[in-house]
Amino acid sequence: AQKITQTQPGMFVQEKEAVTLDCTYDTSDPSYGLFWYKQPSSGEMIFLIYQGSYDQQNATEGRYSLNFQKARKSANLVISASQLGDSAMYFCAMRELRINFGNEKLTFGTGTRLTIIP
Amino acid sequence: NAGVTQTPKFQVLKTGQSMTLQCAQDMNHNSMYWYRQDPGMGLRLIYYSASEGTTDKGEVPNGYNVSRLNKREFSLRLESAAPSQTSVYFCASAPKVSYEQYFGPGTRLTVT
C-alpha cells in the first residue's frame, strides 16, 4: 500500500482564492511527522510546514495551514489568498519516528501541480 | 552558509560509464540523504547516512553506491550507468533531531 497518497495530479485555482491540496497517509507507527514541500519550476525543494502526530493543534505558517485529521489519516495543505508565485509542484511527505528511529528519512507522495490563474 | 551544495548541476553519460555525484553541507548536520525524482513518482530514497561512518539502503538502492567521506560530504556513485538511471538527483541533510530536511539544488542526469 502507498504510504503517502496525493490524488490530485493537477489543480487550477483563481488568484486570491483559497486552495486545498489533499494528502492521505498510511502508517502503523504511532509517532510520525507530516511535511509539505513546494517545488517551483526552478527545481529546488522548499519546506513549507510540519505537523507532528501528537500535536494537538493544526500547524500554521503564514498563508499555509495543515488540516490534520488523524482518524481519517489525512493531512491536507490549505493555502489562503493564493498568489501567482504559488504555482508549483507540492509534495506531501511522512517521517515514521519509531520505525526509523535515529534518522529522518522521508517518504514522499507523487505530488500535485498547482497552477494559479490571474 | 551555502547550505547543501551538489555538483555537477547537469550531466550526460553513455550507458556503461561511471560517475560520482558530490554533495556537501555546511550546517553540521548528522544525517544525509540521496533521493531520485522521476516524473510522476515523487522523490524516492536511494541511500541515507544517519551519521558519519554509517550508510544504509533506502527504497531504490540497486545500481548505486555511496560514501560518507566525513560529516560534511556524502557522495553517490553510479558504477555502470543505465538509461533507467536518467533522473534528477537530490541530496538532503538534517540535524540529528529536526523537523525538516534541507535539500540541495539537484543534479539532472541523462543516460543515453
Side-chain angles (χ1 to χ4, degrees):
Chain A
Q2 292 283 342
K3 282 190 178 287
I4 296 286
T5 302
Q6 294 180 255
T7 57
Q8 307 152 309
M11 287 188 71
F12 290 84
V13 172
Q14 204 73 39
E15 190 180 6
K16 298 182 186 172
E17 289 185 351
V19 56
T20 298
L21 304 180
D22 295 342
C23 173
T24 57
Y25 59 92
D26 183 30
T27 182
S28 58
D29 193 333
S31 183
Y32 54 90
L34 296 155
F35 302 75
W36 278 92
Y37 282 85
K38 173 183 179 182
Q39 186 179 41
S41 57
S42 51
E44 71 270 32
M45 296 289 287
I46 302 168
F47 167 74
L48 294 178
I49 197 167
Y50 168 84
Q51 180 85 43
S53 58
Y54 295 119
D55 292 344
Q56 294 295 315
Q57 294 189 322
N58 287 345
T60 60
E61 288 286 347
R63 293 187 301 111
Y64 303 108
S65 60
L66 203 152
N67 183 1
F68 182 47
Q69 298 187 43
K70 196 169 181 178
R72 296 181 60 191
K73 293 190 174 178
S74 76
N76 298 339
L77 177 70
V78 180
I79 306 174
S80 63
S82 57
Q83 302 171 356
L84 296 178
D86 294 333
S87 293
M89 281 289 286
Y90 288 80
F91 291 96
C92 181
M94 176 172 64
R95 181 184 64 181
E96 293 163 292
L97 293 168
R98 288 202 189 163
I99 290 172
N100 298 322
F101 181 74
N103 72 78
E104 289 78 38
K105 61 178 181 175
L106 297 173
T107 302
F108 284 82
T110 53
T112 295
R113 182 171 297 281
L114 175 65
T115 303
I116 307 299
I117 305 165
Chain B
N1 281 357
V4 181
T5 56
Q6 291 182 236
T7 55
K9 284 189 166 52
F10 301 94
Q11 184 71 49
V12 179
L13 290 177
K14 288 185 164 48
T15 298
Q17 286 185 319
S18 62
M19 78 159 296
T20 300
L21 279 63
Q22 306 286 355
C23 174
Q25 52 90 10
D26 61 3
M27 296 173 283
N28 201 36
H29 286 171
N30 287 320
S31 303
M32 296 186 74
Y33 308 83
W34 276 106
Y35 294 90
R36 60 178 287 173
Q37 184 179 25
D38 303 307
M41 298 289 289
L43 275 74
R44 292 181 294 168
L45 184 67
I46 305 171
Y47 270 94
Y48 64 96
S49 171
S51 61
E52 187 180 353
T54 69
T55 60
D56 286 286
K57 294 178 181 179
E59 185 184 351
V60 287
N62 290 347
Y64 305 95
N65 284 301
V66 290
S67 295
R68 182 75 183 265
L69 303 167
N70 48 54
K71 194 170 187 180
R72 288 188 65 247
E73 297 170 292
F74 189 38
S75 62
L76 178 72
R77 182 158 179 86
L78 287 70
E79 289 292 350
S80 179
S84 61
Q85 294 177 304
T86 294
S87 190
V88 180
Y89 291 84
F90 286 97
C91 177
S93 72
K96 190 171 175 66
V97 179
S98 170
Y99 291 143
E100 67 183 89
Q101 292 186 5
Y102 297 79
F103 283 81
T107 294
R108 187 173 294 276
L109 175 67
T110 302
V111 183
T112 60

